[in-house]
Amino acid sequence: MTSGTAALQERRYRILVTGYAISSYGTFLNVVALSLYVYAVTDRALAVGVFMAVRLAAGFVAGLAAAAVLARWSAKGVMFWANVAQAAALLLLVLAPDGFRTGTLFAVSAVVGASGTLFMVTLRSSIPDMVGEGRHTWANSLMVSGRSMAMVAGFASSGVVVSLLGYTAAFLVDMATFLVCALTVLLLPMPMGPARGNEEKDSRGKDVEDSQGSRESAGVDGPGRRDGRRRVPAALVALGAVPVLGLMVALRGIDALGSSSHNAALPVYSTELDADNPAVFVSVFWCVWALGNVLVQQVLQRYTKRTGHSVGALGFGLGTIAMSGTFILAFAGLPWAATVLVALLAGAADGLTEVSYTSHLQTLPSPLRTHAFGLSATVENLGFGVGMIVVAAALDVFTPLSVVGVAHGAAIVLALVYVARVLRGRGAAQAQEAPEPEHAQEAQEAVPGSGEREGKNGKGESGEGPARGGHRDGAEVSGG
C-alpha cells in the first residue's frame, strides 16, 4: 500500500469517526431524553423499564442476525441505513399524534436498539478493511476516544437541552446527528449495494471446502446448500477459530453485567452522598472516567506506533481485572480526591479493555470476524439486560457497594481464569516453537516470508494477528 493510499484511508476513517462521535452524542442524549419522555407520557416507572428492555432485546436479536445481514448487504449500506433508520424513527416520534405516542415510543426503542447494534457490529468488523493491516489499534483507539467524549457531552447536555428546548428539540437534534453520521458513511470508498456473493475464496481464488467436500464459507451457511445436512453454526465456528475466544466473549458478557451494576448503582450512591444535589457525583465521575479513557487511547496509539504491537488479548484480561476493581472502589466511600483518581483509572482500564478486545477479534478472517462481533454484541446485550433486572431488584435490599462488589467480583474471578489460561497457552506455544539453538538459523530460513515480517530495527510491524498468520499481537491466545 502506498503512503498516499494509506493517508487517504486514514483521512476518510477520521471523517467516519467524527460522524460516529456526533451520532454517539445523539445516542447518549437520546438515552436520557427518551427515558424521561417515556415517564412523562405514561406516568409509570414500569414503562421506563419495559422501554429499556425492548431496546436491549432488539439489540440482542440484531446481534444474532448481523452476520446474515452482512452476507447479503455491503458494510457501507448497512451502516448508512442503520443511521437513516434511527433518524426516521425519531422523526416519526416527533410527528406522532397524541394517541399513538406510547406505541410509537416502543417502536422507536426497537429500531434504535437493533440499528445501533447493527451499526456497531458492522463498524468494528469492517475496520481492518478500512484502515489496512497494522492500524487496528490506532483505529479502535480513535473510535473509543470519540465515543467517550460524546458520552460525556451527551449526558452533560441532556438536562439542559430537555429543560430549555423541550423533548421535540432533543429528538430533532438527535435525528440530525444520525443523518450527519450517514453522510460520513457515504464518503467511504466502499460499495453501497448488496454483497456480490456469499462464497469465500481462499488465497488461490478457489472455493473453500469442508471435510465432506461441500462448498463452505469458512463455516458460514450459504444459500446454495441443498443436501439437507446441517452444519455447525457459524458463530460456534468463530468461537473455535482461536483458542479461548469463547472464554473471551463470555468474560465480555460478565463484564457487561458488571457495567449494569455500576450504571444502576451510581444514582443511588450519589443520592446517599448528597440528597440535595445527587447529580454532582454522577457528573464528576463520568467526566473523569471519560478523561481517563481518552488519555489511555493516546498511550495505546503511541505504544503501537513505537513497537508495532498491540496490547493483545492478555491486555484485555488484565484490563478487565483493573476496571472491575476500580469500579468497586468507587463505591467504597473514599475521600473525593481518591474517588477522582479511581474514576480516572476506571476510565483508563475500560478504554484498554475495549481496544484490546476489539483489536483481537479483528484478527479473525472476514467471515468469522463478522460472526464473532455479532455474537459478542448479543452476549453483551444479554449480560447488560439481565444485569439491569437483577441489579435493580438487589439495590432495594443491599447497599450499592455490595451489589457492585458481587457483579464486578464475578468479572474479576472469570478474568483471573482467563488470564491464567492465556499465560498457559503462551508458555505452551513458546515451548513448542522454540528451535534448538544450533538450528535456529535454519528454522528461521525454513519459514516462508519470515524475513518479510520483520519490520525496521528488527520489530514486526505487519500488524497481522494470530488468525491471519502474522506475528502475534496476542500470542497469549493464539498459542494455546
Side-chain angles (χ1 to χ4, degrees):
M1 180 187 301
T2 65
S3 59
T5 302
L8 180 61
Q9 280 186 332
E10 180 175 320
R11 184 161 58 250
R12 284 175 170 168
Y13 181 74
R14 286 183 183 275
I15 293 173
L16 175 62
V17 168
T18 300
Y20 168 63
I22 292 172
S23 69
S24 294
Y25 165 78
T27 297
F28 291 113
L29 172 64
N30 184 347
V31 168
V32 177
L34 280 175
S35 297
L36 292 173
Y37 189 64
V38 170
Y39 187 74
V41 170
T42 64
D43 197 29
R44 298 184 65 187
L46 177 62
V48 179
V50 174
F51 178 84
M52 292 300 297
V54 169
R55 184 170 183 164
L56 290 169
F60 178 90
V61 174
L64 293 175
V69 172
L70 287 170
R72 291 163 176 77
W73 296 90
S74 68
K76 182 177 180 178
V78 172
M79 288 191 290
F80 174 79
W81 289 111
N83 280 284
V84 170
Q86 293 180 82
L90 289 166
L91 179 61
L92 179 63
L93 179 60
V94 170
L95 300 177
D98 291 342
F100 294 91
R101 284 185 180 174
T102 301
T104 305
L105 272 170
F106 290 101
V108 168
S109 180
V111 171
V112 169
S115 299
T117 297
L118 278 176
F119 177 85
M120 283 309 303
V121 170
T122 307
L123 174 60
R124 287 172 173 171
S125 62
S126 300
I127 282 177
D129 301 323
M130 294 181 191
V131 300
E133 296 293 346
R135 300 288 284 163
H136 301 176
T137 299
W138 167 82
N140 292 323
S141 293
L142 193 65
M143 177 185 68
V144 173
S145 296
R147 188 182 64 198
S148 298
M149 291 186 287
M151 186 189 79
V152 175
F155 282 153
S157 65
S158 58
V160 177
V161 173
V162 172
S163 299
L164 297 182
L165 303 179
Y167 291 112
T168 298
F171 298 150
L172 291 176
V173 168
D174 193 10
M175 182 187 72
T177 65
F178 288 119
L179 292 177
V180 168
C181 187
L183 290 176
T184 61
V185 170
L186 288 178
L187 298 178
L188 293 173
M190 302 167 66
M192 183 70 180
R196 293 185 178 181
N198 297 326
E199 297 172 358
E200 292 296 319
K201 306 292 183 178
D202 65 10
S203 59
R204 294 166 296 181
K206 297 179 179 179
D207 292 331
V208 178
E209 297 183 355
D210 62 14
S211 58
Q212 286 78 30
S214 62
R215 293 204 307 190
E216 184 99 357
S217 180
V220 181
D221 290 337
R225 181 88 171 171
R226 294 188 179 89
D227 57 9
R229 290 177 294 179
R230 297 185 63 184
R231 282 186 271 184
V232 177
L236 297 182
V237 175
L239 288 183
V242 178
V244 303
L245 185 60
L247 184 58
M248 196 177 195
V249 173
L251 178 55
R252 188 70 170 175
I254 298 298
D255 176 42
L257 187 148
S259 296
S260 70
S261 72
H262 65 248
N263 274 281
L266 268 173
V268 177
Y269 183 67
S270 184
T271 302
E272 291 178 356
L273 291 177
D274 187 353
D276 294 329
N277 297 289
V280 173
F281 180 83
V282 175
S283 300
V284 171
F285 183 89
W286 284 124
C287 286
V288 176
W289 174 92
L291 177 61
N293 201 311
V294 172
L295 288 176
V296 81
Q297 304 311 325
Q298 303 306 310
V299 173
L300 287 174
Q301 290 178 30
R302 284 166 174 74
Y303 169 79
T304 303
K305 185 176 182 180
R306 185 177 69 255
T307 66
H309 298 281
S310 68
V311 291
L314 182 60
F316 169 66
L318 296 176
T320 300
I321 294 171
M323 176 185 63
S324 293
T326 49
F327 270 120
I328 293 173
L329 288 176
F331 294 86
L334 300 175
W336 259 101
T339 303
V340 168
L341 178 60
V342 165
L344 188 72
L345 294 175
D350 210 346
L352 173 65
T353 59
E354 174 75 13
V355 172
S356 56
Y357 178 79
T358 303
S359 297
H360 201 74
L361 261 62
Q362 286 168 349
T363 62
L364 290 168
S366 180
L368 295 184
R369 185 168 69 232
T370 301
H371 282 277
F373 275 111
L375 180 63
S376 177
T378 297
V379 170
E380 290 176 53
N381 276 299
L382 179 62
F384 194 85
V386 171
M388 289 299 290
I389 297 172
V390 174
V391 166
L395 284 171
D396 287 335
V397 181
F398 302 101
T399 64
L401 176 60
S402 60
V403 173
V404 174
V406 170
H408 274 296
I412 290 176
V413 171
L414 185 57
L416 288 172
V417 174
Y418 169 79
V419 168
R421 176 66 180 85
V422 161
L423 291 175
R424 187 176 65 183
R426 170 186 281 185
Q430 291 176 344
Q432 292 174 1
E433 295 178 2
E436 294 295 329
E438 60 269 25
H439 301 300
Q441 183 62 35
E442 290 86 341
Q444 173 72 11
E445 293 173 353
V447 179
S450 60
E452 297 176 1
R453 290 196 298 267
E454 292 295 323
K456 296 179 181 180
N457 301 321
K459 296 176 181 177
E461 296 178 352
S462 69
E464 292 181 301
R468 292 183 181 271
H471 75 272
R472 295 182 181 86
D473 70 342
E476 56 273 33
V477 166
S478 61

